[in-house]
Structure formats: structure tokens, C-alpha cells
Amino acid sequence: MTMNAPAPQTDTSVLACHECDLLQYAPAVAGQVVCCCRCGCQLRHGSGCRPSTSLALVLAGLLVFVLANVFPVIGLEAGGTRTATTLLGTAWQLSQQQMQPVALLVLLTGVLMPGLELLCLLYLLLPLSLGRAPRGFAHVMRLVRILHPWGMVEVFLLGVLVSLVKLAHMAEVHPGIGLWSFFALILLLAGNASRFDAGQLWERYQTCRAIH
Ligand SMILES: [Zn+2]
């Protein structure tokens, strides 16, 4: 559905295009794709995604996030000595080797930002799926928007894979549970991002707020 005339009607909501910033009236029709009348950018998904579906993805994401950080990402075996490290352990080792900026970057983009984003989404989606309006909804939505570009788990994993190939010539490399968990986390985060529709969440929030 492409909006031809940005004129107010009954059962409409005001949407701002996130590409060209045009404010326009969108018809409140469930399950329809809504596109910007100026640049054609998709403003509303037509999937009719329910909060409970996104909540399931976020809960699964939190579970594998914990596994990814508790279990070793890779193990190395050379000369009869075997070592294994987690992502947090890697950040710690980097800081011990006078590479604090890199350690901080690994910690922020690989652990803190994705973890905080998942917790914020849980805070929003759990009450909404139960028909309740979470407190500070607007602030947490803004926080999710800020955090999302900083979660770079896939970039980290690409770096790990390159390192694995290089280290394979020097030592025996054992991928750990943490590595597989990071793969699962990337898939779950991508699945959630493709379904995430801020407009639908806002509508759901307003409905829950009106009821209670
Ligand atoms: Zn636009």
C-alpha cells in the first residue's frame, strides 16, 4: 500500500519516514505494507508481527547470549598445552597486554550493547505481550534505537573466523560452545531485527495504555 495523499482521515496515524523525515497520515489497516508517499521507503511491515513472536526470539537470544559468554569461544592446543577463552576473557587479556581501547571495543560491541539491547527488548515485549503498558516505554524505545547500530556480534565473529584460519597453521584449533552460540545469536538477532516494527509496538502500547 502506497500512500498517495498525506491528508488526515478517520482511523489514521501520523508516521514520520525514517529515510526522508516526511510526516504523513497512514491508514490503520492491519496486515498491510505501508510505504512513504515521497521516497517509497517501507514505513510499516505487513507481517502483522505479534509481540509474543518477537518475545520468543528475544528470550531465545538471551539464552544463547548467556551461553556464548559463559562457554569458551575457541580452544587452542599446541605442544601438549591446551587453552580456551571466552569473549570476556579475550577482552581481559587484551587489557592486560596494554590494548585497552581494543579491549573496550570488544567489550562494548560484543557483550554490553547486544546484551543491553536484548534486555531492553525483553522489558518492552514481555508486558506488551501480556497486555500491559511498560513504564518509560518511549525512553526504552529510544535506547533500543541508539543501541542497535552498536551491537556488532557478526563483525566480531568474522574476526574470530579469520583468526581461526590463521591459527590453524600454528596450533590445533577447537571451536567451542561459545562460537556456535554466537552463530545462533546472530541468526536470532537478524530474525528479530527483520520483524521489529516500532510503529506496531507504539500502537500496541497505546492500546494497552487505553485499557489499563
Ligand atoms: Zn520517505
Side-chain angles (χ1 to χ4, degrees), residues 16-24 35-43:
C17 175
H18 52 82
E19 291 295 326
C20 71
D21 215 25
L22 178 69
L23 270 178
Q24 50 209 301
C35 298
C36 174
C37 64
R38 183 158 69 184
C39 71
C41 171
Q42 191 171 305
L43 300 177

mmCIF file of all heavy atoms in Angstrom, residues 16-24 35-43, ligand 1:
data_model
loop_
_atom_site.group_PDB
_atom_site.id
_atom_site.type_symbol
_atom_site.label_atom_id
_atom_site.label_comp_id
_atom_site.label_asym_id
_atom_site.label_seq_id
_atom_site.Cartn_x
_atom_site.Cartn_y
_atom_site.Cartn_z
ATOM 1 N N ALA A 16 6.359 9.274 10.730
ATOM 2 C CA ALA A 16 7.483 10.026 10.169
ATOM 3 C C ALA A 16 8.354 9.036 9.403
ATOM 4 O O ALA A 16 8.709 7.991 9.939
ATOM 5 C CB ALA A 16 8.286 10.687 11.275
ATOM 6 N N CYS A 17 8.663 9.353 8.153
ATOM 7 C CA CYS A 17 9.507 8.463 7.354
ATOM 8 C C CYS A 17 10.931 8.501 7.917
ATOM 9 O O CYS A 17 11.487 9.583 8.113
ATOM 10 C CB CYS A 17 9.503 8.901 5.898
ATOM 11 S SG CYS A 17 10.625 7.935 4.885
ATOM 12 N N HIS A 18 11.500 7.322 8.186
ATOM 13 C CA HIS A 18 12.848 7.299 8.763
ATOM 14 C C HIS A 18 13.936 7.534 7.720
ATOM 15 O O HIS A 18 15.110 7.643 8.048
ATOM 16 C CB HIS A 18 13.096 5.986 9.514
ATOM 17 C CG HIS A 18 12.801 4.761 8.708
ATOM 18 N ND1 HIS A 18 13.691 4.253 7.827
ATOM 19 C CD2 HIS A 18 11.700 3.982 8.648
ATOM 20 C CE1 HIS A 18 13.153 3.176 7.258
ATOM 21 N NE2 HIS A 18 11.951 2.998 7.732
ATOM 22 N N GLU A 19 13.538 7.645 6.438
ATOM 23 C CA GLU A 19 14.517 7.935 5.386
ATOM 24 C C GLU A 19 14.501 9.415 4.996
ATOM 25 O O GLU A 19 15.542 10.051 4.928
ATOM 26 C CB GLU A 19 14.227 7.082 4.145
ATOM 27 C CG GLU A 19 14.497 5.594 4.327
ATOM 28 C CD GLU A 19 15.968 5.276 4.553
ATOM 29 O OE1 GLU A 19 16.819 5.964 3.975
ATOM 30 O OE2 GLU A 19 16.262 4.345 5.336
ATOM 31 N N CYS A 20 13.296 9.953 4.709
ATOM 32 C CA CYS A 20 13.241 11.348 4.221
ATOM 33 C C CYS A 20 12.582 12.291 5.233
ATOM 34 O O CYS A 20 12.462 13.482 4.973
ATOM 35 C CB CYS A 20 12.524 11.409 2.875
ATOM 36 S SG CYS A 20 10.756 11.113 2.991
ATOM 37 N N ASP A 21 12.136 11.743 6.391
ATOM 38 C CA ASP A 21 11.621 12.551 7.501
ATOM 39 C C ASP A 21 10.271 13.209 7.214
ATOM 40 O O ASP A 21 9.878 14.129 7.934
ATOM 41 C CB ASP A 21 12.651 13.618 7.906
ATOM 42 C CG ASP A 21 12.621 13.874 9.405
ATOM 43 O OD1 ASP A 21 12.209 12.967 10.143
ATOM 44 O OD2 ASP A 21 12.983 14.978 9.827
ATOM 45 N N LEU A 22 9.569 12.774 6.189
ATOM 46 C CA LEU A 22 8.264 13.367 5.873
ATOM 47 C C LEU A 22 7.209 12.841 6.847
ATOM 48 O O LEU A 22 7.092 11.639 7.061
ATOM 49 C CB LEU A 22 7.869 12.998 4.430
ATOM 50 C CG LEU A 22 6.502 13.522 3.973
ATOM 51 C CD1 LEU A 22 6.534 15.037 3.819
ATOM 52 C CD2 LEU A 22 6.099 12.869 2.661
ATOM 53 N N LEU A 23 6.464 13.790 7.426
ATOM 54 C CA LEU A 23 5.348 13.405 8.297
ATOM 55 C C LEU A 23 4.126 13.157 7.426
ATOM 56 O O LEU A 23 3.803 13.968 6.556
ATOM 57 C CB LEU A 23 5.038 14.537 9.279
ATOM 58 C CG LEU A 23 5.781 14.535 10.621
ATOM 59 C CD1 LEU A 23 5.367 15.739 11.416
ATOM 60 C CD2 LEU A 23 5.544 13.265 11.400
ATOM 61 N N GLN A 24 3.449 12.046 7.648
ATOM 62 C CA GLN A 24 2.317 11.730 6.793
ATOM 63 C C GLN A 24 1.290 10.888 7.546
ATOM 64 O O GLN A 24 1.613 10.254 8.544
ATOM 65 C CB GLN A 24 2.801 10.982 5.546
ATOM 66 C CG GLN A 24 3.712 9.815 5.849
ATOM 67 C CD GLN A 24 4.687 9.548 4.722
ATOM 68 O OE1 GLN A 24 4.271 9.299 3.611
ATOM 69 N NE2 GLN A 24 5.972 9.612 5.011
ATOM 70 N N CYS A 35 3.991 2.290 2.581
ATOM 71 C CA CYS A 35 5.228 2.901 2.074
ATOM 72 C C CYS A 35 5.106 4.419 2.056
ATOM 73 O O CYS A 35 4.003 4.952 1.929
ATOM 74 C CB CYS A 35 5.534 2.402 0.660
ATOM 75 S SG CYS A 35 5.798 0.629 0.605
ATOM 76 N N CYS A 36 6.246 5.091 2.162
ATOM 77 C CA CYS A 36 6.287 6.553 2.144
ATOM 78 C C CYS A 36 5.821 7.065 0.787
ATOM 79 O O CYS A 36 6.186 6.523 -0.254
ATOM 80 C CB CYS A 36 7.716 7.014 2.423
ATOM 81 S SG CYS A 36 7.955 8.776 2.253
ATOM 82 N N CYS A 37 4.994 8.138 0.799
ATOM 83 C CA CYS A 37 4.467 8.660 -0.461
ATOM 84 C C CYS A 37 5.511 9.491 -1.208
ATOM 85 O O CYS A 37 5.333 9.804 -2.361
ATOM 86 C CB CYS A 37 3.206 9.474 -0.206
ATOM 87 S SG CYS A 37 3.486 10.929 0.783
ATOM 88 N N ARG A 38 6.618 9.843 -0.527
ATOM 89 C CA ARG A 38 7.650 10.642 -1.220
ATOM 90 C C ARG A 38 8.801 9.775 -1.727
ATOM 91 O O ARG A 38 9.172 9.842 -2.880
ATOM 92 C CB ARG A 38 8.188 11.734 -0.289
ATOM 93 C CG ARG A 38 9.215 12.628 -0.983
ATOM 94 C CD ARG A 38 9.359 13.966 -0.325
ATOM 95 N NE ARG A 38 9.976 13.875 0.991
ATOM 96 C CZ ARG A 38 10.132 14.922 1.804
ATOM 97 N NH1 ARG A 38 9.706 16.110 1.447
ATOM 98 N NH2 ARG A 38 10.700 14.767 2.977
ATOM 99 N N CYS A 39 9.385 8.934 -0.828
ATOM 100 C CA CYS A 39 10.580 8.177 -1.236
ATOM 101 C C CYS A 39 10.315 6.680 -1.426
ATOM 102 O O CYS A 39 11.183 5.954 -1.896
ATOM 103 C CB CYS A 39 11.709 8.392 -0.228
ATOM 104 S SG CYS A 39 11.426 7.592 1.347
ATOM 105 N N GLY A 40 9.101 6.219 -1.073
ATOM 106 C CA GLY A 40 8.770 4.807 -1.291
ATOM 107 C C GLY A 40 9.324 3.866 -0.234
ATOM 108 O O GLY A 40 9.170 2.651 -0.344
ATOM 109 N N CYS A 41 9.976 4.405 0.788
ATOM 110 C CA CYS A 41 10.540 3.572 1.853
ATOM 111 C C CYS A 41 9.420 2.887 2.657
ATOM 112 O O CYS A 41 8.367 3.481 2.870
ATOM 113 C CB CYS A 41 11.383 4.473 2.756
ATOM 114 S SG CYS A 41 11.943 3.672 4.231
ATOM 115 N N GLN A 42 9.665 1.647 3.057
ATOM 116 C CA GLN A 42 8.645 0.906 3.805
ATOM 117 C C GLN A 42 8.532 1.447 5.235
ATOM 118 O O GLN A 42 9.514 1.449 5.980
ATOM 119 C CB GLN A 42 9.003 -0.575 3.834
ATOM 120 C CG GLN A 42 7.877 -1.445 4.362
ATOM 121 C CD GLN A 42 8.156 -2.916 4.184
ATOM 122 O OE1 GLN A 42 8.416 -3.379 3.089
ATOM 123 N NE2 GLN A 42 8.127 -3.661 5.261
ATOM 124 N N LEU A 43 7.342 1.914 5.591
ATOM 125 C CA LEU A 43 7.123 2.503 6.912
ATOM 126 C C LEU A 43 6.515 1.513 7.897
ATOM 127 O O LEU A 43 6.714 1.618 9.096
ATOM 128 C CB LEU A 43 6.184 3.715 6.808
ATOM 129 C CG LEU A 43 6.636 4.869 5.925
ATOM 130 C CD1 LEU A 43 5.565 5.932 5.894
ATOM 131 C CD2 LEU A 43 7.949 5.444 6.413
HETATM 132 ZN ZN ZN B 1 10.255 8.894 2.841
#
